[in-house]
Amino acid sequence: MSRQTPLHEAHRRAGARMVDFAGWSMPLHYGSQIAEHHAVRRAAGVFDVSHMTIVDVEGPQATPFLRRLLANDVARLETPGRALYACMLNPEGGVIDDLIVYRRGPEQYRLVVNAATREKDLDWLARQAEGFAVQVRARDDLAMLAVQGPRAREQTLPLLPAPLREAAAALAPFQATVLEHPWMAARTGYTGEDGFEILLPAEAAEGLWEALLGAGVVPAGLGARDTLRLEAGMNLYGADMTEETTPLESGLGWTVAWEPAERDFVGRAALEAQRAQGVPRLQVGLVLEDRGVLRPHQRVLTSAGTGEVTSGTHAPTVGRSIALARVPAAGAQDPEVRVEVRGRPLRARVVRPPFVRHGRVRV
Amino acid sequence: MSEIPTDLRYTKTHEWVRDEGDGTLTVGITDHAQEQLGDMVFVELPEIGAGFAAGDACAVVESVKAASDVYAPVDGEVTEVNEALADSPELVNQDPYGDGWLFKMKPAETDAVEALLDAEAYADYLEEEAH
C-alpha cells in the first residue's frame, strides 16, 4: 500500500492519474502533462511535493555538524532566512543525496531531501550526528506545495496567512521566511521559474491547494515537474547522480565549497584526489538535432569514447528533445555527438545547461 | 472508460483496424493505448511500400513517458502514412480513431481482419488486463 499525501483526495477530485513514486501514490498528471508544463512556464502551476522529506536540524552544534555533513558550506548562510543547494557525500565522494538547506535561526536549520532516499538519508544523518550536540527530526507533520511560474508569487501571496504575507512578498530568490509561524514560505523551486515552496501543517494543505486552484493556478503533476526541471538543467537524484558518481562528474562542481581549505567535509579527500588526477567524466547538455526522443541510458558516442544519457525527454518549451548526459571528459568538448536512439545514431548538439530559464530558451 | 467504436477491429497490442472496403485497411492505436501512454511527442511511421508480417513492429509512437512499438495487425504492405503526425503527434491523443490514424495497408489476405478482435472481445480483453 502506497503512502498518501494529505492532498490525496484533492488530486482525485482534480482528475489526477496517480502513480507509485518511491512508495508514495502521487499525481503523474491531471489530463495533459504538456499543458501543465506550459502553464508553469507561462502563468502558474502548483505541485504537491509533500512526499519530500523535511528534516529539522537544531542545536548548539548544528552549524559545525552541517559543515562536516555537506559539500557546500552552510557558513555561507550568514543570516537566517537564506537557503543553499548542497550534496551530502559518502567518504568516496559519491552523492548520497542532494538537498536544500534553509537557515532558520542561529542554531536552527531545515533540510528538504528526496522521498526516494528517505530511510538512507535519515540513517546517515543519525550516524553522522553522533558526537555533535544536535537534534535531527523528520517533520512528517508538514506538507509542502510548490507554486511555480511567472504569476506564482502574485497569485499565492493573497492566500497566505496574514502574518506571513509581507515577509513572503519581501523574499529575494533563495530566501525563506523565518517567522515563528507554523508555515514557511521559500522563494525556491525545481522548474527554472520564479515562485514559492510553501511548507505548512498537513491539515492546512488542502485549504491552500483549493484556494490556489480557485485563483486559477493549474495543478501540475510529476510528469511536468520532470520536464520543467530538465529544461532548467537541474539534476534528478538517482538518474543524473548517484552514490557511484561525484558532484564533479555530475555538473555539480559549483556546489562544492573548497574554501576554507581546513573545512573537512565528508568526501573531501576523495574529491580532492579526483580533481588532482583529472575528472574522468563530465556532464553535458544535449539538444537532439534529428527527429526522435532522447531517453535515459541511451549511448552517447563522442570523439573520446562512449557516454550515457542520464535524463532525456521531449522538452515542450524548447520544442525538441533534450538530455543531460555523462561523457568522457575529453568528449565534453565536442560541439556535436551522436546518440544511439532505437538503434540509430542521431545527431545531438552539446550545450551548457540550463536549456530554459524564466520562460526563455537559452540553447 | 475509453472509447471502443463497434465498427472497428482490434489487436491485443492495442491497434485498431478499419476495413475501408476498397482493399485497404487503416491502422491506428486505440483510445485506451493513447490514454496509457500520455501526451504524444513523436511518431515514426513505416516506409510506403514496406511489407510486414502480422505482429512485426512497423511504427513507433513516443509519448512524454516512453517509446512504444506499433505492430502490423495483419500481413500486408504499407500504402499510405499519416504525414500530419510529423508536426502534430498530439492528433493521436486528440482523435485516435480519426485524424490520429497512423498508416494504411493492403492486406495479403482479403479476409485477414476477420481473425482480429471485435469491439466486444477487445473490451473484454481490456477488462481482463486490468485485473
Side-chain angles (χ1 to χ4, degrees), chain A residues 59-89:
Chain A
Q61 288 189 298
T63 301
F65 167 61
L66 291 173
R67 294 191 77 201
R68 164 81 184 147
L69 184 80
L70 302 176
N72 211 338
D73 189 356
V74 296
R76 292 176 174 182
L77 304 176
E78 284 163 5
T79 54
R82 289 178 185 270
L84 188 72
Y85 175 71
C87 287
M88 183 159 76
L89 305 182

Side-chain angles (χ1 to χ4, degrees), chain A residues 17 28 31-35 291-293 295 313-314 342 344, chain B residues 35-36 39 41-42 44 60 62-67 69 86:
Chain A
R17 173 180 286 268
L28 179 64
S32 167
Q33 119 174 28
I34 291 180
R291 299 181 67 87
V293 184
R295 306 273 185 193
T313 190
H314 170 76
R342 299 178 61 85
R344 288 193 308 212
Chain B
E35 208 177 272
Q36 291 295 316
D39 291 329
V41 294
F42 178 62
E44 192 182 317
V60 181
E62 292 211 35
S63 71
V64 277
K65 203 161 89 180
D69 287 312

Side-chain angles (χ1 to χ4, degrees), chain A residues 7 46 143-147 155-161 164 183-184 196-215 217:
Chain A
L7 293 170
V46 55
M144 183 164 164
L145 299 188
V147 195
Q155 291 192 296
T156 307
L157 284 170
L159 309 176
L160 296 179
L164 207 67
W183 295 37
M184 177 180 121
F196 289 128
E197 291 179 299
I198 312 282
L199 291 76
L200 72 174
E203 59 274 17
E206 194 166 342
L208 178 61
W209 173 269
E210 293 298 343
L212 286 163
L213 267 50
V217 177

Side-chain angles (χ1 to χ4, degrees), chain B:
Chain B
M1 203 47 220
S2 66
E3 195 195 334
I4 308 174
T6 52
D7 57 332
L8 304 180
R9 294 288 183 146
Y10 300 88
T11 68
K12 289 187 174 179
T13 45
H14 309 288
E15 291 84 16
W16 58 260
V17 180
R18 178 183 292 117
D19 189 342
E20 301 294 351
D22 60 355
T24 68
L25 306 175
T26 303
V27 180
I29 66 166
T30 66
D31 189 30
H32 171 80
Q34 70 78 21
E35 208 177 272
Q36 291 295 316
L37 290 167
D39 291 329
M40 291 301 161
V41 294
F42 178 62
V43 178
E44 192 182 317
L45 294 168
E47 300 284 334
I48 291 171
F52 294 98
D56 284 355
C58 61
V60 181
V61 288
E62 292 211 35
S63 71
V64 277
K65 203 161 89 180
S68 300
D69 287 312
V70 177
Y71 302 97
V74 298
D75 298 354
E77 185 187 314
V78 174
T79 57
E80 196 179 336
V81 298
N82 186 354
E83 307 281 359
L85 298 181
D87 290 326
S88 304
E90 67 276 9
L91 291 173
V92 175
N93 298 114
Q94 291 163 0
D95 192 6
Y97 299 114
D99 291 344
W101 64 280
L102 299 181
F103 56 89
K104 297 190 185 213
M105 63 192 301
K106 189 170 181 294
E109 311 281 341
T110 46
D111 58 353
V113 298
E114 299 304 320
L116 301 175
L117 305 175
D118 62 15
E120 196 180 335
Y122 180 62
D124 289 346
Y125 177 69
L126 289 186
E127 184 79 5
E128 261 171 57
E129 225 187 13
H131 295 125

